[in-house]
Amino acid sequence: MKKLYFTLIILMSLPALGQIQQNVNKISGTESKPITAIDSIRFNGSSTQMEIILTNGNIESHIITDINNVTFSGQLIGQITSLDCSGATITGTLVEGVTTNGVSADIDYTGGNGGTHNGQVVTSTGVTGLTATLTAGSFSNGAGTLTYTITGTPSSSGTASFAINIGGMTCSLQISVNGGVVSTLDCAGATINGTLVEGVAASAVSAGIDYTGGNGGTHNGQVVTSTGVTGLTATLTAGSFSNGAGTLTYTITGTPSSSGTASFAINIGGMTCLLQITVSGGAVSALYCAAATITGTLVEGATASGVSADIDYTGGNGGTHNGQVVTSTGVTGLTATLTAGNFASGAGTLTYAISGTPSASGTASFAINIGGMTCSLQITVSGGAVSALDCAGATINGTLVEGVTASGVSADIDYTGGNGGTHNGQVVTSTGVTGLTATLTAGNFATGAGTLTYAITGTPSASGTASFAINIGGMTCSLQITVNTAGPPPSYPSGMVHCGGIPTAVVDVTNPTTGKTWMDRNLGASQVATSMTDANAKGDLYQWGRVGDGHQCRNSLTTSTISSTVQPGHNRFIIGAGWATTFDWHSVANPVLWDGVNGVNLPCPTGYRIPTIAEWDAERLSWSSNDDIGAFNSPLKLIRAGQRFYLNGSVNSNSFYYWSSTTYQNGTRTLNINGLSPGIAQITWDIYRAYGNSVRCIKD
């Protein structure tokens, strides 16, 4: 007889048996189904059949006589009936910002079925940053304990919650996270490093506040603004409390608005206290402006230089001051400036630097207000003056000619006893010979001896003596300049091209050393040089031996066709001239084109010619120095007028070459100053005639 073994009539709940399957071993074969497909097993009323009711509602019937046995096989899923999170045992402590070490939670359970579980990893909510980890294992049969290991770093203080879901049961594990805390905070005993003074930016000032009972937790630092004395900030950088006693260092920054007590409300680690720091004010008890020591001199119109006032004080408290800037009254235009600093403890001196330019002579007053005291600082301002003015010995530059507009004419009047003050200049009209004006530009007297230069302009109405009534610096004198009788008008070669549109004015200048008389300016220049870089005094650049046909104009066009005649018949600068043959603009070298007053192509006005190299050398030897300065200071006022390059017509504006009439082999000799600074003057031997150089005419 076949035996049937049934241990269950109604199967246990499906979730617990999810991995178990039912096997019906029959004579006619074996039927298997996963337990999840079976709802229940029952016998019919006559007990001749076993019915398996499936979860989909279908029924499988098995004749009992055909069944050997019914078995269940597979792994039992672990289950429990209760889970006690609220009674969990917490080992170790969680602290805000501190990485966990040795922290765990033991959670008891009951109703364990001995089945396995896969463990669990749960991240925290509430206080984030933590993880509770349960290692995979098995439930006990009955009661037992699950141990969760807590890892990570709590993001804040409060409660970290973990949603536990295991063995078919859930609960919420909650663990407290402590914030960084201390038990005492000693503001009253704070150590103050550095000193706070009214109006002075705090530098290297800090307060060390001791605490006890630190739990090793973190803090976010603190920024506290001052009350009482405002303008300050106490800043604690974020960090961690020590375990036990420690010190918090607050850095004090800012500028105290006044003297007194700056208070800071400290609130950190669950404790509060009031940090108070004294702010000193700078002060004096007396200020002595009347006895001030004045260094240097103030002169009307002269910019103050090296002028200062030392004001003594007593009763200084060692505090700081912000300095002071005071503008003058009475005589305006001045400023007294005291640099910020510290008062001495007791007696001391404040130094005010005086700057600016006095608007007039008289007394400049400064309202001093410093260290709680006031006084009036008064400084005398002198007017610009000289003690002597020498019109009789005036140096006259240039020549005045009846009916000829003055050009490059000036008078240098020496003086002595100048006090460095300013003058407003002067404009004086001539008497005797009228039509002229002597103009002195506003400026400063030198300290001691100096020279005033009056520019003479206008057109003399007649020959004779032009007189100018000079009144400057408290002194007067009569400046007298001779006006020459007009000679015949200058005559230039027929067809002469004048680059500026008008002929070069013919005004004589005589070198008293050489006795030679020259034109006072270069051909093509509109005036006598007033400086070493005067563009209006440079004039034209001639190729040697050519007439003034327009090629000498600095912007003339160029041609590379060498001329076969001594007068090319065009106004172009001939470039590339005679390369490797004569280095000339002319196909045949001709050394007499500028020879004397009868030179075929002479560009000078009637009665004038190109100087010889010997005449140039004599001029050079008469200079005060053999360089640019000597050339400019000479009667001829020579400057670097430039040179035009024979190969391409480009102009080097820094060159100094003046043609002579003296030829040498295929070239011509010149007066030259080299390119050094200052350049050295010399006589050159062989300059290609195709170059463009300056021309200064000498009277024959």
Side-chain angles (χ1 to χ4, degrees), residues 185-192 208-210 264-266 272-276:
L185 197 60
D186 185 17
C187 281
T191 300
I192 308 301
I209 303 175
D210 293 337
F264 302 88
I266 304 301
T272 62
C273 65
L274 185 65
L275 172 65
Q276 295 186 317

Side-chain angles (χ1 to χ4, degrees), residues 536-604:
N536 293 326
K538 290 186 175 182
D540 301 331
L541 298 175
Y542 283 79
Q543 291 183 303
W544 190 92
R546 285 188 70 174
V547 73
D549 52 16
H551 81 281
Q552 75 275 18
C553 301
R554 291 171 179 257
N555 60 353
S556 66
L557 299 178
T558 62
T559 178
S560 59
T561 301
I562 297 175
S563 178
S564 61
T565 62
V566 296
Q567 293 186 359
H570 59 72
N571 61 1
R572 293 178 178 247
F573 190 87
I574 299 174
I575 62 173
W579 175 245
T581 56
T582 63
F583 303 99
D584 202 335
W585 54 271
H586 187 211
S587 59
V588 178
N590 189 331
V592 298
L593 295 178
W594 278 0
D595 186 17
V597 293
N598 296 316
V600 176
N601 285 343
L602 188 66
C604 296

Side-chain angles (χ1 to χ4, degrees), residues 175-200:
I175 306 177
S176 294
V177 178
N178 297 325
V181 296
V182 297
S183 58
T184 67
L185 197 60
D186 185 17
C187 281
T191 300
I192 308 301
N193 301 299
T195 304
L196 293 175
V197 181
E198 172 188 1
V200 179

